[in-house]
Amino acid sequence: MSLTDRRGSFVTDGIARPTLLLVHGAWHGAWCWEKLTAVLHTDGWRVRAIDLPSAGGRAGMQDDAQAVLAELELIDGPAVVVAHSYGGIPVTQAVAKAGNVSRIIYLASFQLDVGDSLLGFYGAPVPPQPDEFEAVPDNPVALFYGDVPLPEAEAAVQRLLPQSTRSFSDALTEAGWHTVPSTYIICEDDQALPANSQQAMAERSGAVHRIESSHSPFLSKPTELAALLSKIALDTDA
C-alpha cells in the first residue's frame, strides 16, 4: 500500500520514503534512467528524472542548476538527489538553495567545491568560444557502456547529444554538500571517470559505496544499483 503522509513523504508498507530525483550527466538525457526507474517503481519508490538544458542546447551549468532547483520545488516533501557524472556539478549548486533535500548521492560524479568547474578539475583552460558545443566523445561504447550489452549500448549512443561547452567552464558559486549529507558511489570499472579520481572526490562525502560496473550502472546493473540506492536513501548513516 502506498500513500502520502502529512509531511509529503511517500509511504510504502509503513515506510516513509523521500522522492528520488535522478539527474543525468553530459551528452545524456532523462532517458538513460528508464531501466533503473522501472526497477525503483517496482520497489515502491516515487521517482522523477529531468532533462538538463545543456545537453543539446547552449545552456550553462547555472542554467542546469536552475532546472534542478525548479524540479525540486515541484516535489512535495523530502527528496534524495542522485547525480551522475557531470550532473553532480549543477546538483551541487542547486542543493545549496533547496530546502527539501535530505541527501545527495553522487554516482561516479563530480563532487566539486566552490570555484571549481569541470574543465578546472582537469586543469584545462576556459575555451575562447564558450558558446560552442562539445561533440560526443570518440568510442562512447567503450567510454560509457563497457559492460552494457552491445545492442543496448549502441542504441544508447544514438540518443546522445552535443553538450554545451559553457556547462563545462561555468564554476560553482555554492556547494550544497557542505550542509546536506552526501554519499558517493564509485563505479570501479569506469573508463570515463577513473575510480582513483572518483575516490579523491568521494572523500568529501560522509559515506562511500562501490559497485563493479562501467560508467553507466543504470543500464548495466539496474537491479543492483536500485538496491544500493534504496539502502542509502533509507539509512541516515549510509
Side-chain angles (χ1 to χ4, degrees):
M1 178 180 178
S2 299
L3 51 90
T4 303
D5 71 7
R6 280 179 283 182
R7 296 166 298 174
S9 298
F10 195 57
V11 180
T12 302
D13 296 329
I15 301 172
R17 304 187 181 203
T19 298
L20 301 180
L21 175 61
L22 311 180
V23 182
H24 65 81
W27 300 289
H28 287 69
W31 59 265
C32 72
W33 301 107
E34 289 169 358
K35 286 179 69 175
L36 176 66
T37 297
V39 178
L40 288 168
H41 281 160
T42 299
D43 290 344
W45 288 94
R46 185 166 55 180
V47 183
R48 302 176 75 105
I50 64 169
D51 288 308
L52 296 178
S54 63
R58 299 185 186 276
M61 184 277 290
Q62 295 288 352
D63 300 301
D64 288 342
Q66 282 301 120
V68 173
L69 186 60
E71 193 70 20
L72 285 168
E73 290 173 348
L74 296 176
I75 295 173
D76 183 17
V80 168
V81 185
V82 181
H84 180 242
S85 196
Y86 158 79
I89 304 176
V91 164
T92 294
Q93 179 76 31
V95 167
K97 290 187 172 67
N100 61 334
V101 177
S102 58
R103 181 169 295 274
I104 311 166
I105 301 176
Y106 290 94
L107 174 64
S109 188
F110 289 91
Q111 186 171 0
L112 304 184
D113 208 344
V114 173
D116 294 340
S117 66
L118 188 144
L119 290 180
F121 176 81
Y122 288 108
V126 174
Q129 295 180 315
D131 290 330
E132 298 300 320
F133 288 97
E134 298 294 324
V136 175
D138 294 337
N139 199 4
V141 170
L143 192 65
F144 298 138
Y145 315 122
D147 58 349
V148 177
L150 186 58
E152 186 178 353
E154 291 176 338
V157 168
Q158 296 303 310
R159 303 181 77 171
L160 299 177
L161 297 170
Q163 179 74 20
S164 161
T165 298
R166 186 179 298 278
S167 67
F168 288 170
S169 60
D170 283 350
L172 287 163
T173 59
E174 297 182 80
W177 55 264
H178 283 293
T179 54
V180 175
S182 63
T183 298
Y184 203 103
I185 300 175
I186 295 174
C187 294
E188 295 188 320
D189 299 324
D190 198 327
Q191 301 302 305
L193 184 58
N196 60 345
S197 295
Q198 295 178 55
Q199 180 65 55
M201 291 184 283
E203 292 177 2
R204 292 169 165 165
S205 279
V208 180
H209 298 266
R210 295 176 177 271
I211 186 170
E212 290 187 14
S213 79
S214 67
H215 194 57
S216 305
F218 39 81
L219 293 178
S220 62
K221 296 187 175 182
T223 301
E224 183 178 341
L225 179 59
L228 181 54
L229 294 177
S230 296
K231 178 182 183 299
I232 295 169
L234 292 175
D235 186 346
T236 58
D237 297 320

